[in-house]
Amino acid sequence: MASTNNVDSYTHVQFETSMGTFVVELYYRHAPRTCYNLAALAESGYYNGTIFHRIIKDFMIQGGDPTGTGRGGESVYGGKFEDEISRNLKHVGAGVVSMANSGPNTNGSQFFITLKPTPFLDGKHTVFGRVYSGMGIIQRMGLVATDGDDRPKNDVKIHRAFALRSPPEAGSSHNHGQQQFAQLMLS
């Protein structure tokens, strides 16, 4: 079951990919179930070895589907779960992290990261984070060659993803641990 207690919440997810590492900051106060879903799936190894199956230049990169087709994936809750759309969180620029879906309340494991403002997505997809570090990696991903179905010609792979309870320290590869309580209390 998802924890909505801010002290226990995951705050970031780090993705180590075939193109480099990036970190997502989670908006766990605004979208606690959505953030927990991404973090818990990352912690379980669900995203390890998956690909970014859809990349549209000057729009977004999409991943999180273990089948690599864009039609698969399940939430940590089993099946799909409801939207957590907030009018305070919008697709205002590059680096916004949002849930991919096939209509209202159909969130699973897939997510996307915007490459520019996409206001036409507001109210349709749950915004639940932003790129905290590694935006250059995301921008490079957005430039890879794709086929007619927006599928990268060469796989862009997530080697490993894991959740953090505080921002990663500079030069740290995996900031798991119990010291995060103090940092959360200060923020």
Side-chain angles (χ1 to χ4, degrees):
M1 190 51 76
S3 170
T4 57
N5 179 335
N6 290 342
V7 172
D8 293 335
S9 296
Y10 292 109
T11 63
H12 296 76
V13 174
Q14 183 163 314
F15 291 87
E16 297 172 356
T17 78
S18 56
M19 294 186 71
T21 298
F22 67 91
V23 177
V24 169
E25 176 183 356
L26 301 174
Y27 297 153
Y28 60 91
R29 289 184 179 104
H30 295 282
R33 286 178 54 84
T34 306
C35 292
Y36 180 81
N37 180 65
L38 184 82
L41 290 174
E43 273 302 285
S44 74
Y46 190 87
Y47 294 123
N48 297 353
T50 63
I51 61 170
F52 284 92
H53 62 273
R54 187 172 177 220
I55 296 179
I56 303 175
K57 185 180 178 186
D58 297 324
F59 177 36
M60 61 91 202
I61 65 170
Q62 184 174 333
D65 175 5
T67 71
T69 65
R71 291 183 291 258
E74 233 181 54
S75 76
V76 71
Y77 308 108
K80 306 298 181 193
F81 70 100
E82 68 282 353
D83 295 325
E84 291 182 298
I85 294 172
S86 166
R87 55 189 136 130
N88 297 324
L89 299 176
K90 300 185 183 296
H91 299 86
V92 295
V96 173
V97 183
S98 194
M99 287 302 287
N101 64 39
S102 58
N105 303 311
T106 59
N107 300 296
S109 62
Q110 293 186 50
F111 61 93
F112 64 91
I113 302 171
T114 60
L115 298 171
K116 71 175 196 174
T118 55
F120 55 92
L121 299 177
D122 293 344
K124 298 175 186 167
H125 297 269
T126 299
V127 172
F128 67 98
R130 70 172 183 98
V131 174
Y132 175 81
S133 64
M135 191 60 204
I137 302 299
I138 301 300
Q139 290 168 328
R140 281 188 24 235
M141 286 181 186
L143 297 174
V144 301
T146 56
D147 66 17
D149 294 321
D150 302 316
R151 193 172 180 79
K153 291 184 177 180
N154 297 305
D155 284 349
V156 177
K157 189 173 269 197
I158 297 172
H159 294 305
R160 184 169 82 121
F162 52 87
L164 305 167
R165 293 190 191 275
S166 65
E169 295 176 22
S172 168
S173 66
H174 196 182
N175 191 19
H176 253 13
Q178 303 307 318
Q179 53 149 56
Q180 294 87 352
F181 178 79
Q183 287 184 327
L184 282 174
M185 296 309 291
L186 294 173
S187 59

